[in-house]
Amino acid sequence: MSKWLPKSAAARRWLGLTPAYVMIGIFMLVPISIMAVYSFLEPNPYGGVLPEPSVAAYVKLFLEYDLEDNLVFNPGYINIIFRSFQLSIMATVICLVMGFPVAYYITLQPENKRNIYIYLITIPFWTNLLIRTFAWIIILGRGGVIETPLLNLGIIDDSLKMMYTDGAIAIGLTYSYLPLMVLPIYASLEKLDFRLLEAASDLYSSRFQIMTKVVIPLCKPGIVAGCILVFIPCIGAFIAPNLLGGGKKLMLGSLVQFQFASARNWPFGSALSMLLLSAVVVALIFYARSARKKEYIQGTA
Amino acid sequence: MTERDLKSSNMAKAKALPVGHYRGLGVWNFFFMVFLYAPIAVLIFYSFNANRMVINWTGFGVEWYIKAFNNEDIQDAVWNSLIVAFVATGVATTIATIGALILARGGNFKGKTASLGLMMLPLMVPEIVTAVAVLIFFATIGLNWGLGNVIIAHITFCIPFAFMPIRARLEGMDTTMEQAARDLYASEWETFRYITVPMLMPGIVAGAMLSFVISLDDFIITLMVGGAGSTTLPVYIYSMIRRGLTPEINAVSTLLLLFSVAIVTAYWFVSKKSNTKTVH
Amino acid sequence: MPAASIDVRGVSKIYNPGSQQPVKALDTVSLSIADNEFFTLLGPSGCGKTTLLRLIAGFEQVSGGEILLFGEEIAHLQPSQRSVNTVFQHYALFPHMSVAENVGFGLERLKKPKDEVVSTVKRMLSLVKMDHLADRRPSQLSGGQQQRVALARALAPSPKVLLLDEPLSALDLKLRQTMREELKQLQRETGITFVFVTHDQDEALAMSDRIAVMSEGHIQQIGSPTEIYEHPVNQFVADFIGDSNFLDGEIIAIEDDIVTCKIGSESVFEAENSGNHAVGDQVTLFLRPEKISLTHSTDESTDNHRRGKVSNIVYLGNEAAYTVDMGDGISLMAQARPKEDGNLPFAIDDDIAVGYSNRALRVLAK
């Protein structure tokens, strides 16, 4: 390009990619590797770690020492992990049920209207998650937007106690990541050739069958992508369980944060992070597989 | 029913609802949008509450906005947020632009897929994991630059957001434009200067806007990585929420919200304009 | 003899060399294009014609051989160092520049003085009748207008050779026909060598001084449009250009200019001797449908007359294509004009006379 750049294409290439490698490599890959190492060390009670190898952090997931120093099964953390998956899957399913008809409806609209709807769905996603979750405290909370009119009308005579429940967390998660479900489904529906629906109808399919036999199979990659995109941030969520679960109904994300911010058990926090990371990797492998299948279908078409 | 009746009723039905259309979709979509926007509307509404309890509506007032404007902690947090967002956006967009150019125009080379994966890595790792990993890293190497630590973390996770629209733009850009320029006696540098950069500009602007919004809105990573003097606006809002709900939170939140919406709307128009431009 | 404008000597192009599936796009191709010539590279998609054009332009590097531009080797030069310009298939007009800026782009890169740039742009735009739209953006132009701007842009730096990569393929039929004439006229006016790539035989026949027919990375035949049409060297060329009847058989006798062939089990056809054939050779005979005359009763004016039965008719408006069953598993395609009242002269199952001259039936080498 200019005189001061190396001549060979390969040298230029690596020179150009170096800043990205340095930033993401040093400040992402290396930290995660260090974290992996820390998960196998002893905790330092004042924060940080002691340089002694140990699997205590992973043992702590299942077992604890009782008063007589015997290792006994402790379901506490397993329950939190289980709840994390349960709530994440629940939020993902609700997002799918809510989002699919909307994505489909948008696809049916003329182009200018489609753009407006997509804009409307994108906007909340780009606005602050903390603020959007906070809004739900005002809605669900004691004396909030839902309760107050009901109390005033005498329909209920005590707080509904909607806050600090699994339900509140599920609503918060759903609300947080709903756009991530609609957008990929819309993207795949948009490419759908609507003449296929007419062909199916011509070949004696009912409306229900058109949906189940043609539309859903053809936009499955979009559905899978949407589910993965919602599931991954849900499983690591911190804000929704923290604000709407009140720090009592913990999820994996808030548990990790707790280990670093308050409990000062870095190895255990690291171990939990590794667990979180492996859940994400599994989800991504699942996604890559279905994407490959999609390529296969398109390749033979 | 006679055959003719059957036929005409079928036809009437078909006219009312074409193939592929389903009843109730519009209503569903309406309630979906209500669900999406009601919380935001409630938030904005209560920011004008005169009472010092958020949920206890006693009358309209803008005093919480005035209070927020005069709150020095908020002013500091806003400054921190803007400094972080501007620096992170500038650096991340530059890195992403060069990276995208090489990955989209540099031909096939060994390690291309891996490089692409690396670029997108910050998108795939859950935020909380990034947050604690970077926290551990900074603690281990003893790096303590205050706001600098936050900026480094922000650059890292902004790279994929800047990278995506730039790369999309490049992929949609035909190399024949560059070939045409070379054919018309433009040197490599002139081709880059007069053809590639102007045509890529909408992608770069879009990428920068996205990183800016992402950086501005980030909470969890900043909370974990940032020290005492590096409180950004979202982190400050979080501490306000923990202290007790006053309409001041709503007022600040509303302002941050409107700012993000303004940037995203600008992004929307930039990307829409660039889309119509590439269509022949 | 003056130096050819383009001399392609033994040029090969292999994509993905050394990989699992190397693709040989061009295999030691040689051709020479004269100055001021309208030269067409014609062939089906994937025949290597566009690759050859891109090698001349410099967008791809040759795998072997050399390319000379007026005697000067250019195969290793950058596209910006070759005084050839390209009209791209989809025009490749810079969307962020006005029409005038597009046309002036090459001149500015060549560091021409400002006033010369302005006057040349003006001249070029009036040459392609686009002077009134100089300030428009490409996206505000129709396909035909974009085509003209692309031409003006490529001609503005006065290249020694203009390369055109299927420039008419994106236009609709009527416009395509107008542009054919304009292109031919433009070539005559500017006196620049045009190398034109197309897969459309009509375009090639209508505009070219000479045509190179290509297939699978090889040149099959180079010649004037009439040579290519009337004297194809092999079955590929005969089949690719125009309609043809092909008869597979064996030579049973050669006498002066006449070759006698046995077709099917017992039919004997005589054809013009096109060269090195020997008795016993397996050959293909070739006969253009329009060289066959169909009549009700035998036409004594033709060298050969046979009888056959109409087995199929395709009505085309200005004429009708007949398939005539000649017996012995042989059928011939022929054409006949509708009668003055618009009715067709023959009907299915009619027993008709088929006549042709000896010179119309030719032997193609296998």
Side-chain angles (χ1 to χ4, degrees):
Chain A
M1 211 148 283
S2 270
K3 287 151 208 134
W4 45 271
L5 284 177
K7 265 246 149 40
S8 108
R12 276 189 201 179
R13 198 180 286 147
W14 295 120
L15 185 74
L17 286 173
T18 301
Y21 286 161
V22 167
M23 282 316 290
I24 298 176
I26 295 186
F27 298 110
M28 191 100 205
L29 274 184
V30 171
I32 290 175
S33 313
I34 294 177
M35 193 177 72
V37 173
Y38 272 26
S39 72
F40 289 102
L41 296 178
E42 280 284 340
N44 183 334
Y46 304 104
V49 287
L50 300 172
E52 286 160 36
S54 154
V55 290
Y58 290 94
V59 170
K60 197 176 160 141
L61 286 174
F62 309 95
L63 305 169
E64 65 174 354
Y65 290 98
D66 64 7
L67 293 172
E68 281 137 37
D69 244 13
N70 299 319
L71 273 174
V72 292
F73 180 66
N74 168 17
Y77 294 120
I78 295 295
N79 280 344
I80 291 173
I81 294 166
F82 185 71
R83 177 167 46 237
S84 298
F85 277 90
Q86 207 181 16
L87 284 173
S88 300
I89 290 168
M90 200 156 102
T92 308
V93 171
I94 299 173
C95 281
L96 179 61
V97 172
M98 285 180 74
F100 182 87
V102 171
Y104 189 83
Y105 175 78
I106 295 172
T107 319
L108 294 179
Q109 303 307 306
E111 199 184 335
N112 55 340
K113 260 187 161 180
R114 273 197 305 221
N115 285 335
I116 292 170
Y117 278 126
I118 288 303
Y119 169 75
L120 284 176
I121 286 175
T122 330
I123 281 290
F125 177 67
W126 293 118
T127 53
N128 198 299
L129 183 59
L130 182 71
I131 295 173
R132 284 191 293 139
T133 313
F134 165 68
W136 280 98
I137 301 182
I138 307 174
I139 295 171
L140 298 176
R142 182 181 282 270
V145 176
I146 293 179
E147 269 185 25
T148 311
L150 296 178
L151 280 169
N152 289 347
L153 291 171
I155 296 172
I156 53 172
D157 35 49
D158 193 14
S159 169
L160 288 170
K161 297 202 175 73
M162 286 180 290
M163 280 289 284
Y164 313 133
T165 59
D166 282 357
I169 298 176
I171 289 175
L173 290 176
T174 304
Y175 183 70
S176 301
Y177 304 114
L178 201 47
L180 291 176
M181 180 64 83
V182 179
L183 295 176
I185 295 179
Y186 169 73
S188 68
L189 278 173
E190 199 197 13
K191 288 189 216 113
L192 185 68
D193 183 352
F194 269 75
R195 285 170 300 186
L196 293 175
L197 276 63
E198 285 169 4
S201 155
D202 185 50
L203 294 165
Y204 317 111
S205 306
S206 67
R207 284 180 190 283
F208 180 73
Q209 285 167 328
I210 291 173
M211 187 47 72
T212 54
K213 305 269 181 207
V214 179
V215 177
I216 290 176
L218 281 173
C219 76
K220 210 172 142 202
I223 294 176
V224 173
C227 289
I228 300 286
L229 283 180
V230 171
F231 180 79
I232 289 179
C234 276
I235 192 79
F238 166 73
I239 295 174
N242 211 277
L243 293 188
L244 303 175
K248 291 191 182 69
K249 299 275 181 187
L250 285 175
M251 280 177 68
L252 257 174
S254 38
L255 188 59
V256 168
Q257 194 264 351
F258 182 72
Q259 299 311 316
F260 286 89
S262 317
R264 300 210 170 273
N265 191 338
W266 286 26
F268 186 52
S270 300
L272 289 167
S273 296
M274 296 315 289
L275 188 76
L276 203 55
L277 213 50
S278 20
V280 170
V281 170
V282 169
L284 285 176
I285 288 172
F286 182 72
Y287 173 65
R289 274 206 180 157
S290 80
R292 229 189 349 258
K293 220 153 91 195
K294 176 181 128 197
E295 254 169 46
Y296 173 74
I297 292 168
Q298 285 174 344
T300 52
Chain B
M1 219 193 273
T2 67
E3 200 182 330
R4 212 174 132 209
D5 285 342
L6 192 75
K7 213 173 174 183
S8 65
S9 82
N10 272 347
M11 274 170 72
K13 225 190 206 168
K15 205 178 169 191
L17 212 59
V19 172
H21 288 240
Y22 295 82
R23 264 173 230 290
L25 278 179
V27 178
W28 189 274
N29 181 62
F30 174 78
F31 282 111
F32 182 92
M33 292 295 167
V34 168
F35 177 73
L36 219 49
Y37 281 92
I40 296 173
V42 166
L43 180 93
I44 295 174
F45 178 77
Y46 279 99
S47 72
F48 295 106
N49 190 357
N51 196 291
R52 64 174 306 279
M53 297 292 292
V54 176
I55 324 185
N56 214 345
W57 181 266
T58 48
F60 178 87
V62 291
E63 56 253 52
W64 292 106
Y65 282 91
I66 295 162
K67 188 154 187 253
F69 270 114
N70 292 328
N71 183 335
E72 276 179 24
D73 290 342
I74 290 180
Q75 285 170 10
D76 289 347
V78 167
W79 273 119
N80 282 343
S81 275
L82 288 177
I83 291 168
V84 170
F86 270 113
V87 178
T89 299
V91 179
T93 309
T94 310
I95 291 174
T97 306
I98 299 169
L101 274 168
I102 288 166
L103 289 173
R105 286 287 188 272
N108 274 319
F109 58 93
K110 220 175 157 190
K112 186 175 172 177
T113 318
S115 302
L116 212 66
L118 195 74
M119 283 279 191
M120 305 303 278
L121 186 70
L123 264 188
M124 296 179 237
V125 178
E127 267 188 283
I128 182 77
V129 175
T130 309
V132 299
V134 174
L135 169 72
I136 291 175
F137 180 69
F138 284 152
T140 306
I141 62 169
L143 191 73
N144 201 354
W145 288 347
L147 210 55
N149 287 18
V150 177
I151 290 174
I152 289 173
H154 278 230
I155 292 171
T156 310
F157 72 72
C158 279
I159 288 175
F161 287 96
F163 178 73
M164 283 187 299
I166 298 173
R167 178 158 175 264
R169 175 92 192 151
L170 268 169
E171 306 258 288
M173 260 164 66
D174 214 331
T175 46
T176 40
M177 290 301 165
E178 280 135 353
Q179 284 174 4
R182 300 283 283 139
D183 186 58
L184 294 163
Y185 315 107
S187 67
E188 244 184 286
W189 168 249
E190 285 171 325
T191 305
F192 183 71
R193 164 81 184 73
Y194 293 112
I195 306 301
T196 314
V197 170
M199 289 185 64
L200 188 56
M201 217 46 195
I204 297 175
V205 172
M209 284 173 172
L210 285 194
S211 342
F212 193 82
V213 173
I214 287 291
S215 166
L216 205 61
D217 283 348
D218 175 76
F219 160 65
I220 181 70
I221 293 173
T222 316
L223 176 75
M224 299 300 280
V225 174
S230 44
T231 302
T232 60
L233 192 54
V235 174
Y236 186 75
I237 292 174
Y238 179 70
S239 68
M240 287 168 89
I241 295 172
R242 304 222 75 168
R243 265 182 270 139
L245 310 182
T246 64
E248 191 180 5
I249 305 173
N250 295 50
V252 179
S253 300
T254 301
L255 293 174
L256 181 57
L257 213 75
L258 292 179
F259 192 54
S260 300
V261 170
I263 295 172
V264 175
T265 307
Y267 159 75
W268 189 262
F269 280 111
V270 169
S271 66
K272 232 178 116 182
K273 205 173 144 208
S274 73
N275 278 344
T276 49
K277 250 186 182 175
T278 48
V279 171
H280 290 296
Chain C
M1 187 185 147
S5 61
I6 295 269
D7 222 337
V8 174
R9 292 183 182 164
V11 164
S12 296
K13 177 68 188 175
I14 299 161
Y15 290 108
N16 309 327
S19 76
Q20 296 283 325
Q21 296 159 307
V23 179
K24 208 163 197 179
L26 284 176
D27 191 2
T28 48
V29 165
S30 296
L31 58 83
S32 182
I33 301 169
D35 199 6
N36 292 345
E37 196 173 18
F38 198 120
F39 191 91
T40 298
L41 298 170
L42 174 66
S45 61
C47 71
K49 56 189 192 301
T50 297
T51 303
L52 182 53
L53 197 80
R54 291 172 64 81
L55 288 173
I56 297 172
F59 304 137
E60 318 253 2
Q61 298 300 308
V62 295
S63 308
E66 48 185 11
I67 299 171
L68 279 67
L69 177 69
F70 288 98
E72 184 200 349
E73 157 76 329
I74 57 165
H76 58 278
L77 295 179
Q78 292 287 318
S80 54
Q81 296 168 316
R82 306 180 184 200
S83 51
V84 298
N85 290 136
T86 307
V87 176
F88 290 82
Q89 187 169 9
H90 298 288
Y91 321 131
L93 298 177
F94 306 129
H96 56 295
M97 297 182 189
S98 70
V99 164
E101 284 168 335
N102 263 284
V103 176
F105 187 86
L107 297 165
E108 269 169 27
R109 298 289 83 71
L110 289 172
K111 308 261 183 309
K112 300 280 186 209
K114 260 252 143 47
D115 49 337
E116 191 190 325
V117 173
V118 172
S119 67
T120 312
V121 168
K122 233 179 176 165
R123 196 156 43 81
M124 283 301 143
L125 284 176
S126 71
L127 186 69
V128 296
K129 305 181 195 83
M130 284 291 295
D131 21 9
H132 59 299
L133 297 174
D135 298 325
R136 291 270 182 94
R137 287 288 167 104
S139 57
Q140 297 168 302
L141 301 179
S142 71
Q145 290 169 332
Q146 291 186 24
Q147 169 72 80
R148 287 157 197 268
V149 177
L151 267 169
R153 186 178 72 174
L155 285 171
S158 333
K160 290 177 179 162
V161 173
L162 187 73
L163 308 174
L164 302 103
D165 185 8
E166 307 220 16
L168 306 182
S169 64
L171 303 177
D172 55 38
L173 185 66
K174 280 267 184 258
L175 198 54
R176 206 151 61 208
Q177 282 164 348
T178 328
M179 284 307 291
R180 270 183 209 170
E181 287 157 33
E182 284 192 25
L183 267 182
K184 183 70 194 163
Q185 199 189 338
L186 206 58
Q187 195 262 332
R188 260 187 251 119
E189 275 173 30
T190 55
I192 292 173
T193 309
F194 276 32
V195 181
F196 186 88
V197 160
T198 184
H199 64 269
D200 183 330
Q201 41 152 325
D202 293 340
E203 247 169 56
L205 294 175
M207 291 191 286
S208 319
D209 295 321
R210 281 195 306 152
I211 298 170
V213 182
M214 297 183 68
S215 158
E216 291 175 358
H218 293 271
I219 290 181
Q220 302 294 328
Q221 185 173 6
I222 300 179
S224 69
T226 46
E227 276 169 353
I228 299 273
Y229 187 80
E230 295 293 341
H231 300 277
V233 294
N234 57 30
Q235 189 169 348
F236 175 82
V237 176
D239 199 19
F240 189 72
I241 299 178
D243 297 321
S244 308
N245 290 296
F246 295 110
L247 304 167
D248 290 328
E250 185 188 334
I251 297 178
I252 51 173
I254 298 181
E255 193 179 312
D256 297 335
D257 280 354
I258 303 295
V259 176
T260 311
C261 296
K262 194 180 92 178
I263 314 286
S265 56
E266 50 182 13
S267 304
V268 173
F269 283 78
E270 289 179 343
E272 188 183 51
N273 190 356
S274 57
N276 304 317
H277 302 296
V279 173
D281 281 0
Q282 296 292 323
V283 292
T284 300
L285 301 183
F286 143 80
L287 179 60
R288 294 280 186 201
E290 71 272 14
K291 299 280 163 71
I292 299 174
S293 74
L294 299 179
T295 43
H296 282 288
S297 52
T298 304
D299 181 357
E300 298 295 343
S301 69
T302 55
D303 299 338
N304 298 280
H305 18 76
R306 291 158 183 279
R307 294 205 72 85
K309 204 177 192 182
V310 176
S311 64
N312 193 28
I313 305 172
V314 178
Y315 177 62
L316 298 168
N318 59 344
E319 61 178 28
Y322 286 88
T323 310
V324 185
D325 186 1
M326 308 298 293
D328 200 12
I330 302 167
S331 66
L332 289 177
M333 272 193 322
Q335 291 160 358
R337 287 181 172 283
K339 291 187 289 192
E340 275 176 24
D341 61 5
N343 289 325
L344 296 180
F346 316 109
I348 284 200
D349 284 345
D350 275 7
D351 190 32
I352 56 170
V354 176
Y356 56 90
S357 86
N358 272 344
R359 298 193 46 199
L361 193 62
R362 297 217 173 78
V363 183
L364 297 173
K366 278 249 161 170

